[in-house]
Amino acid sequence: MKLIIKTILFWVLITSTAVFAELAKVKVNGFDIEYEMVGSGKHTVLLEAGGSAGLSDWDPIYNSLTKYAKVIRYSRIGNGGSAQIKKNYSSEQYATEALLLLKALKIEEPVVYVAHSYGAYIARVFAASYPDNIKALMLIEPASEHDVDIMRKIDLPRAEKEIAAIKRDDMKNGMSNQYLDFWSKRPLPDYPQIADIPVTVFASVKKYENPSVLFFTEKGREMWGELHSNWANAFPQGEIVLTSKSYHYPQNDEPEMVNAQIQKLLKRTH
């Protein structure tokens, strides 16, 4: 029995060491950036987390992804274990720092960029600004410059009240680095500003039993799905994935499905 216990402890220690050995920090613009890079293959996947999230945003799918690609996940400045500074970053600045991160990690080949929520702001800017550094794009429940427009189209007076309340709550809870960028709602790059590359977009149309705001009503979900379907279909190599089983975090609620879609995207990528 003691031998069995020692053997188990030995393998737990080896496994833990292998995992934590990959966690590291690298200097980008003079600040420490937390990252993890594991796996190998002909594709390199860069994972971009949502607003105020760190690299742990990808925990449910990360290990599976590393079995068939080199996968990099990181925490933007101000998030996760990266340098904790307060600054109103724009998506353009974040996109530049994503490129600098790749250079610091000596990643020379174009990446498959997978982004969630606010991370989609950054990924879209990156794709348009650095076309030689990206070969495919996946946006998971992407935040859009048109999301508040959906609310206004449903019920303008109510929408204005709800939007104002959301802004007040954000300010009360502390201004996150992407706050001003998120609410500025300026147009983001679309096709053809983004090159003709394989694109996959996830959008949740799952109905909420008790929607807290107009955005989560049945009509809001329907318009959300339509918005992203039209956006994805504008790309010659675009695909839309509508899910009624997840809310805003398909990678948490349906990790196997998200993994399968990433593998599918990689197969479409040359």
Side-chain angles (χ1 to χ4, degrees):
M1 178 62 73
K2 289 183 178 180
L3 179 61
I4 293 174
I5 293 174
K6 287 182 179 180
T7 302
I8 292 173
L9 289 174
F10 171 78
W11 283 110
V12 167
L13 178 61
I14 291 296
T15 303
S16 299
T17 302
V19 172
F20 287 112
E22 299 296 340
L23 293 173
K25 289 186 178 180
V26 65
K27 290 285 185 183
V28 173
N29 269 350
F31 296 104
D32 286 331
I33 295 291
E34 170 191 54
Y35 76 95
E36 185 174 11
M37 181 167 60
V38 182
S40 61
K42 69 176 184 177
H43 297 294
T44 298
V45 176
L46 175 64
L47 300 175
E48 188 76 54
S52 301
L55 56 78
S56 61
D57 208 27
W58 301 104
D59 280 352
I61 66 171
Y62 187 74
N63 288 335
S64 296
L65 286 179
T66 62
K67 294 176 182 177
Y68 50 85
K70 178 187 289 184
V71 187
I72 303 166
R73 60 175 176 170
Y74 78 108
S75 301
R76 293 186 298 275
I77 291 176
N79 300 327
S82 294
Q84 295 299 301
I85 66 169
K86 291 295 182 182
K87 179 180 176 181
N88 290 315
Y89 270 81
S90 68
S91 48
E92 289 81 7
Q93 289 172 303
Y94 275 133
T96 298
E97 290 187 350
L99 179 65
L100 293 175
L101 171 69
L102 293 174
K103 290 183 176 180
L105 299 179
K106 295 179 170 55
I107 303 299
E108 298 179 356
E109 69 274 14
V111 299
V112 175
Y113 210 139
V114 178
H116 174 240
S117 192
Y118 173 74
Y121 262 59
I122 300 163
R124 284 169 67 179
V125 171
F126 185 100
S129 303
Y130 310 110
D132 293 336
N133 299 95
I134 184 171
K135 59 183 177 180
L137 178 64
M138 176 177 284
L139 307 180
I140 301 175
E141 271 288 279
S144 167
E145 66 273 32
H146 301 298
D147 52 7
V148 293
D149 297 335
I150 289 175
M151 299 171 67
R152 292 186 174 114
K153 287 179 181 178
I154 298 173
D155 185 334
L156 181 58
R158 178 180 166 186
E160 294 299 346
K161 292 179 181 179
E162 291 180 351
I163 292 167
I166 293 170
K167 287 184 178 181
R168 285 195 300 271
D169 288 342
D170 282 348
M171 294 186 71
K172 185 190 306 180
N173 294 330
M175 187 179 290
S176 59
N177 284 345
Q178 74 279 354
Y179 177 84
L180 291 180
D181 187 55
F182 186 82
W183 287 108
S184 66
K185 299 299 172 188
R186 63 182 176 277
L188 292 168
D190 294 309
Y191 183 78
Q193 295 104 316
I194 297 172
D196 181 6
I197 57 176
V199 172
T200 301
V201 180
F202 278 82
S204 169
V205 292
K206 186 174 182 179
K207 298 175 182 177
Y208 287 69
E209 290 186 9
N210 298 298
S212 56
V213 293
L214 287 167
F215 190 67
F216 298 124
T217 60
E218 185 172 343
K219 182 62 176 176
R221 296 294 81 202
E222 178 185 332
M223 294 173 69
W224 177 252
E226 182 179 355
L227 168 71
H228 289 300
S229 295
N230 292 339
W231 193 90
N233 290 331
F235 284 78
Q237 300 182 68
E239 288 191 5
I240 182 68
V241 178
L242 298 178
T243 177
S244 60
K245 297 181 180 179
S246 305
Y247 288 120
H248 192 53
Y249 290 86
Q251 67 267 40
N252 290 348
D253 299 334
E254 300 177 83
E256 295 84 4
M257 185 269 286
V258 173
N259 253 309
Q261 288 294 334
I262 294 176
Q263 290 187 57
K264 182 180 177 182
L265 179 62
L266 295 183
K267 290 177 181 178
R268 294 166 53 208
T269 303
H270 302 289

